[in-house]
Amino acid sequence: MARLFLISNRVAVPGAGGHPGGLEVALKATLRKHSCVWLGWSGEVHEKPRTRTITRGDNSYVIVDLTSEDFDEYYNGFANRVLWPIFHYRLDLAEFSRRDLSGYLRVNEHFADELAGMLEPDDIVWVHDYHLIPLAKALRARGLTNRIGFFLHIPLPPPEILTAMPNHERLIPSLCDYDLVGFQTHGDAANFARYLAKELGTPSHIPLRLGSGERAMRIGTFPVGIETREFTRLARRASKTSFARRVMASVPGTLMIGVDRLDYSKGITLRLEAYERFLAANPQWRGKITYLQITPKSRSTIKEYSEMEAAVNSAAGRINGAYSEANWAPVRYVNRPYSRAALSGLYAAARVGLVTPMRDGMNLVAKEYVAAQDPDDPGVLILSRFAGAADECREALLVNPYDPDAVAAAIARAMAMSWSERKARHSELYAALLRNDISKWGDKFLKALSPQDKKGPTALRDLLAPATGSAATGPTRPPATRQ
Ligand code: ADP
């Protein structure tokens, strides 16, 4: 029987500890339904790298060590310092080095060698995220003709930005070696189609047929969801725990929550600035609102991240210095991770969820916040229009995160929103989350990738046209702006 190979930068071996990352949660249903082999980096750096296989039930986990050179060039270098900023529209933060690109390609070749030794002709391969863009090309070069799909979890910028990346022509066209390339939003898919039309001269009026031989690449939109009902149940239980009760008892008045990794794409300093403006413009709310920002540190070895840590600390300190009273501080800034259960209880307790990334592939926090609300007395989601989640969460208060006055006005609006409007918005948002529950995400992608799927190749023309239709089979509509 055909096996399913999942390939990603990191592998989450069950029972190995740590908090489940977004990728693990997204793949959970797929790992349950299929017999999978999941291959990726072990997280360890050794001068003599090893490859180990761990078996858990029907699934195997193949974990590969990196050398310190691989780690510097592939992970810290090209993935984190070139692809991550550029794909998040931050050309100003990209630091390109040829050495890092060759390290990135080398690790992809190494993963391809490991895989080539394991694959049978009818096995299906599903590659995840920006660390592994050229993997299909490396596999095709080894003569493999398996069905290979790719899903990009982060945004894909328009060609005007992508083409500013040195050597983009060595990397982006290699996506054509996949049978299926999936994106979070129609906008990302359309950006890819525009890149192909512009850079490869692919005529936009004919079906796309690229790559080696007769293989035809297809492009799809598969927005990642959450386990909606499960998260709602978790939040209901968690809000009755002593942890949630103690937190609420310690908060004077209303709670507003932000939960993000410390990353420049999340817009945390701009968000604090917006809150500061809200406090300045709305003295009646001083002493009655507490903004809890939960931000575990990430990638602190990179300079921009440690600078950002200092900037967020200083903005939170400035606001508390300006507005605190003996019995109230406007900002609580917490630097540690919480369990999913504890987090769900905090979301449930918060009247406002403030999710304002400057650019985000999807943003699961926005969806988790909605799922955690009590439908009879729900809170209000304020969401950046530049998060992929904005395509589905059209009943959130959609804001431009670059405009702190507009975000401040949205906070004021959320705080004063009537019960009936909160309820009506929440019910629409919740229905959207149910429609696109994560349990179906893997099925939709794998169905589109399977050899039995008889749909023809994607017509670029369809992607370049204004979007209509539903998520996985067709494009989603761009969000409407409310304010
Ligand atoms: P990204 O993948 O860019 O970090 P997402 O919002 O899509 O952003 O996903 C973040 C995931 O990490 C969510 O599932 C969220 O619950 C989880 N998470 C974020 N902050 C914390 C935290 N402090 N403790 C535990 N989990 C967290």
Side-chain angles (χ1 to χ4, degrees):
M1 208 179 76
R3 293 169 302 171
L4 174 60
F5 280 72
L6 304 170
I7 323 295
S8 60
N9 174 51
R10 290 295 302 273
V11 175
V13 181
H19 286 281
L23 187 71
E24 182 184 358
V25 174
L27 290 177
K28 213 164 101 182
T30 305
L31 286 156
R32 251 195 328 256
K33 289 180 203 165
H34 301 265
S35 169
C36 298
V37 180
W38 188 353
L39 182 144
W41 175 32
S42 62
E44 293 179 28
V45 172
H46 290 291
E47 284 328 297
K48 288 208 175 90
R50 300 157 302 165
T51 297
R52 282 152 290 158
T53 302
I54 299 163
T55 305
R56 295 271 191 276
D58 285 342
N59 298 323
S60 324
Y61 301 81
V62 181
I63 50 175
V64 182
D65 299 335
L66 296 183
T67 64
S68 57
E69 207 177 24
D70 291 341
F71 176 76
D72 286 344
E73 295 174 7
Y74 150 82
Y75 181 72
N76 254 350
F78 199 72
N80 282 346
R81 287 171 171 273
V82 179
L83 294 177
W84 179 268
I86 292 179
F87 281 29
H88 285 87
Y89 295 60
R90 294 296 302 270
L91 275 174
D92 57 320
L93 296 179
E95 286 174 48
F96 182 79
S97 117
R98 260 173 226 288
R99 206 177 58 134
D100 290 349
L101 173 61
S102 61
Y104 176 85
L105 297 171
R106 183 178 65 241
V107 170
N108 273 269
E109 294 288 332
H110 179 43
F111 277 24
D113 280 337
E114 295 285 351
L115 268 171
M118 292 186 268
L119 284 173
E120 302 290 339
D122 60 347
D123 289 336
I124 299 221
V125 184
W126 186 4
V127 179
H128 290 264
D129 231 357
Y130 60 103
H131 309 87
L132 300 169
I133 290 170
L135 189 59
K137 185 174 182 194
L139 290 169
R140 303 288 182 220
R142 286 159 179 75
L144 292 161
T145 54
N146 300 60
R147 302 287 291 177
I148 312 179
F150 177 84
F151 184 77
L152 185 68
H153 291 254
I154 66 173
L156 189 83
E160 290 75 9
I161 291 181
L162 216 44
T163 50
M165 177 168 75
N167 284 326
H168 64 89
E169 52 287 78
R170 284 184 68 189
L171 200 64
I172 308 300
S174 68
L175 284 168
C176 297
D177 279 294
Y178 289 95
D179 295 288
L180 173 66
V181 180
F183 295 95
Q184 296 272 25
T185 68
H186 173 74
D188 298 322
N191 284 340
F192 183 46
R194 280 188 57 220
Y195 177 93
L196 295 177
K198 213 169 158 191
E199 292 301 306
L200 306 188
T202 312
S204 60
H205 59 282
I206 57 156
L208 181 58
R209 197 168 280 277
L210 287 164
S212 30
E214 269 307 285
R215 224 169 11 79
M217 191 247 304
R218 287 179 54 207
I219 302 171
T221 305
F222 306 86
V224 169
I226 59 165
E227 303 161 291
T228 310
R229 287 194 201 281
E230 210 171 285
F231 205 85
T232 306
R233 275 196 291 274
L234 190 67
R236 193 114 343 130
R237 276 199 304 274
S239 44
K240 296 189 188 110
T241 59
S242 61
F243 169 71
R245 292 210 168 117
R246 276 201 318 274
V247 174
M248 279 322 286
S250 73
V251 170
T254 304
L255 183 67
M256 178 166 79
I257 195 166
V259 176
D260 315 76
R261 271 183 312 105
L262 187 61
D263 191 284
Y264 45 78
S265 64
K266 303 291 183 185
I268 304 172
T269 37
L270 267 176
R271 189 186 309 169
L272 282 161
E273 198 181 317
Y275 181 55
E276 196 171 16
R277 294 197 193 188
F278 163 80
L279 291 173
N282 297 276
Q284 74 279 18
W285 283 114
R286 293 182 204 157
K288 298 190 185 118
I289 178 171
T290 299
Y291 168 27
L292 172 62
Q293 176 63 46
I294 299 179
T295 299
K297 292 180 189 171
S298 73
R299 304 176 189 169
S300 340
T301 49
I302 299 181
K303 186 169 82 31
E304 289 78 25
Y305 286 78
S306 53
E307 284 171 4
M308 191 176 31
E309 215 172 297
V312 174
N313 270 325
S314 119
R318 186 182 67 232
I319 299 170
N320 280 341
Y323 292 102
S324 287
E325 299 287 345
N327 61 350
W328 171 69
V331 183
R332 279 189 202 177
Y333 176 44
V334 181
N335 258 162
R336 51 158 289 190
Y338 283 95
S339 68
R340 282 175 74 69
L343 215 50
S344 72
L346 294 174
Y347 291 138
R351 168 51 52 90
V352 182
L354 192 55
V355 185
T356 57
M358 293 153 91
R359 192 63 60 176
D360 214 330
M362 178 47 63
N363 198 293
L364 297 179
V365 166
K367 294 184 170 182
E368 291 168 356
Y369 175 77
V370 170
Q373 298 307 301
D374 173 357
D376 292 325
D377 186 20
V380 181
L381 173 65
I382 299 176
L383 177 62
S384 163
R385 57 177 297 164
F386 303 128
D391 274 20
E392 292 160 273
C393 297
R394 299 165 67 86
E395 291 304 316
L397 294 182
L398 294 181
V399 292
N400 172 4
Y402 291 90
D403 182 351
D405 287 322
V407 177
I411 298 173
R413 188 168 166 208
M415 292 294 285
M417 191 178 283
S418 69
W419 174 80
S420 56
E421 185 176 351
R422 282 191 279 121
K423 225 168 128 45
R425 284 176 181 273
H426 176 263
S427 114
E428 294 278 330
L429 285 167
Y430 196 73
L433 297 195
L434 284 179
R435 275 196 297 277
N436 185 33
D437 193 273
I438 189 63
S439 59
K440 298 169 205 142
W441 176 73
D443 295 345
K444 285 180 196 161
F445 187 93
L446 291 171
K447 183 166 175 287
L449 177 61
S450 90
Q452 282 78 43
D453 193 280
K454 294 290 180 234
K455 278 203 202 83
T458 305
L460 280 193
R461 179 191 45 196
D462 295 345
L463 282 168
L464 295 169
T468 51
S470 70
T473 50
T476 50
R477 270 189 301 166
T481 309
R482 287 178 180 273
Q483 264 297 297

